[in-house]
Amino acid sequence: PDLFAEKVKASFVPAFEDYQKVYNAIAKALEEHDEYDDGSYGPVLVRLAWHASGTYDKDTKTGGSNGATMRFAPEGDHGANAGLKAARDFLEPIKEANPWITYSDLWILAGVCAIQEMQGPVIPYRPGRSDRDLSFCTPDGRLPDASKEQNHLRAIFGRMGFNDQEIVALSGAHALGRCHTDRSGFEGPWTFSPTVLTNDYYRLLLEEKWQWRKWDGPKQLQDTKTKSLMMLPTDLAIIQDKKMRPFVEKYAKDNDAFFKDFSAVVLRLFELGVPFTTGKDQRWSFKTLDAQTS
Ligand code: ZEM
């Protein structure tokens, strides 16, 4: 055996540049695979990172992005995770080319990369997640149920440690992507630009007229003007709730305020349950592909 090579491998401590290289590999793969869905794997990568993180329970300190336990059947087969295999498979060649990164760090890095490449704010990042076996799978039911209302949202996000303002800020992610009948049963995008992060989710929620769609599928709203956009019952709940609505109004008016609060709350979401050995001052900001070439 090549003892020198073995030694180099064992002592390889990846640094910022190594993670920026993986970021770039994800960003390039996003550009290459523009045949998917609305032209990007970006939204489904954000959903993967969110579902990996959103299982966190602050009381038992279980779940969260440490572990990447969605790789295993019990958790991967939870109804809420339907369709996320597409995101995990998309990342597999990147994991193969960079075997030193854990799945759990890779999934969150992919979420950060997708948000930034879809013109969202910078999400500071630090590695430190390790992969765990299937005994760490969380029980079903920890992620939100879109057919419910605000008290359900408060219970689910409260368990992760988030307040009303943070629930509203996180919900702005629904500017991205769409619902799929073969995944959640719901259908359609929330905005007209589902591969660019903007505050359009809030603007449309307030400015459009919404009516219950008449169809065989689950209860969802459609805009009366174009009938091409959708909102979930939980999306409606955040404008019906007196305490949450002011934050929707604020973010609808002010994209900078949305980006600032979104970055702060997503950073916290992505770090839930991770036993970091590095401090909060050790987070990195990755450069977008555009920023590196111009
Ligand atoms: Zn979502 N989300 N989500 N979400 N989500 C879907 C899709 C996406 C809820 C929900 O039930 C659904 C957050 C919060 C909540 C994204 C990001 C984030 C879908 C459609 C449903 C049903 C799945 C499908 O059929 O493909 C509920 C009830 C939430 C409570 C507030 C948070 C927080 C997110 C990130 C920060 C994204 C990006 C998508 C689009 C995925 C795609 O494939 O296009």
Side-chain angles (χ1 to χ4, degrees):
D2 184 341
L3 287 176
F4 182 70
E6 289 298 313
K7 214 172 154 186
V8 167
K9 210 172 137 190
S11 64
F12 174 60
V13 181
F16 170 72
E17 295 72 43
D18 301 294
Y19 286 89
Q20 177 76 61
K21 274 185 200 148
V22 178
Y23 175 107
N24 289 356
I26 300 164
K28 285 193 183 115
L30 282 173
E31 285 183 351
E32 268 160 38
H33 295 279
D34 62 356
E35 75 288 351
Y36 178 78
D37 232 7
D38 295 297
S40 174
Y41 272 90
V44 79
L45 291 182
V46 175
R47 183 169 165 246
L48 174 67
W50 139 238
H51 280 207
S53 309
T55 55
Y56 186 64
D57 176 355
K58 65 176 165 46
D59 294 331
T60 59
K61 297 193 165 55
T62 56
S65 66
N66 196 45
T69 46
M70 203 198 296
R71 287 170 298 151
F72 307 114
E75 196 174 330
D77 289 347
H78 290 167
N81 291 331
L84 289 177
K85 191 173 182 298
R88 297 195 298 274
D89 289 349
F90 172 88
L91 293 172
E92 198 53 39
I94 292 161
K95 167 70 176 165
E96 268 161 36
N98 302 277
W100 52 268
I101 195 169
T102 61
Y103 280 100
S104 34
D105 272 340
L106 176 63
W107 291 358
I108 298 304
L109 179 57
V112 166
C113 174
I115 290 168
Q116 295 190 187
E117 294 299 311
M118 292 189 288
Q119 299 172 47
V122 169
I123 314 288
Y125 172 93
R126 54 183 163 153
R129 298 163 190 79
S130 49
D131 295 336
R132 296 164 126 181
D133 66 31
L134 82 169
S135 69
F136 287 89
C137 284
T138 45
D140 201 358
R142 288 202 177 179
L143 291 161
D145 174 347
S147 70
K148 300 241 164 90
E149 37 35 85
Q150 56 267 41
N151 291 332
H152 170 74
L153 291 179
R154 285 200 174 95
I156 293 282
F157 284 92
R159 192 208 63 229
M160 298 172 216
F162 294 119
N163 63 25
D164 284 359
Q165 175 264 318
E166 292 167 319
I167 293 172
V168 174
L170 282 169
S171 297
H174 282 170
L176 300 170
R178 60 168 56 242
C179 295
H180 306 77
T181 47
D182 59 343
R183 296 181 180 179
S184 59
F186 298 97
E187 185 182 31
W190 290 265
T191 66
F192 294 110
S193 53
T195 63
V196 181
L197 186 62
T198 64
N199 63 342
D200 281 1
Y201 165 82
Y202 305 105
R203 291 199 310 104
L204 292 161
L205 196 48
L206 291 174
E207 290 168 17
E208 293 307 311
K209 272 216 180 86
W210 297 96
Q211 67 185 16
W212 295 108
R213 177 170 168 181
K214 292 183 188 72
W215 74 321
D216 289 339
K219 217 173 153 193
Q220 68 174 64
L221 294 144
Q222 79 182 166
D223 71 301
T224 56
K225 213 188 292 164
T226 70
K227 294 186 160 57
S228 63
L229 300 178
M230 69 93 57
M231 289 286 168
L232 300 165
T234 41
D235 296 313
L236 180 67
I238 69 169
I239 56 167
Q240 287 184 332
D241 187 86
K242 281 201 190 71
K243 295 207 177 90
M244 294 187 190
R245 186 179 175 108
F247 299 112
V248 179
E249 288 167 352
K250 176 178 170 181
Y251 298 141
K253 267 192 240 124
D254 188 347
N255 192 62
D256 291 345
F258 165 53
F259 269 23
K260 185 170 164 282
D261 289 359
F262 184 75
S263 172
V265 73
V266 167
L267 182 160
R268 268 191 57 210
L269 173 72
F270 286 177
E271 293 196 345
L272 292 176
V274 185
F276 291 107
T277 52
T278 53
K280 294 181 176 177
D281 57 343
Q282 311 255 320
R283 295 190 184 107
W284 299 321
S285 292
F286 296 108
K287 290 195 181 74
T288 60
L289 279 192
D290 272 358
Q292 293 169 69
T293 51
S294 60

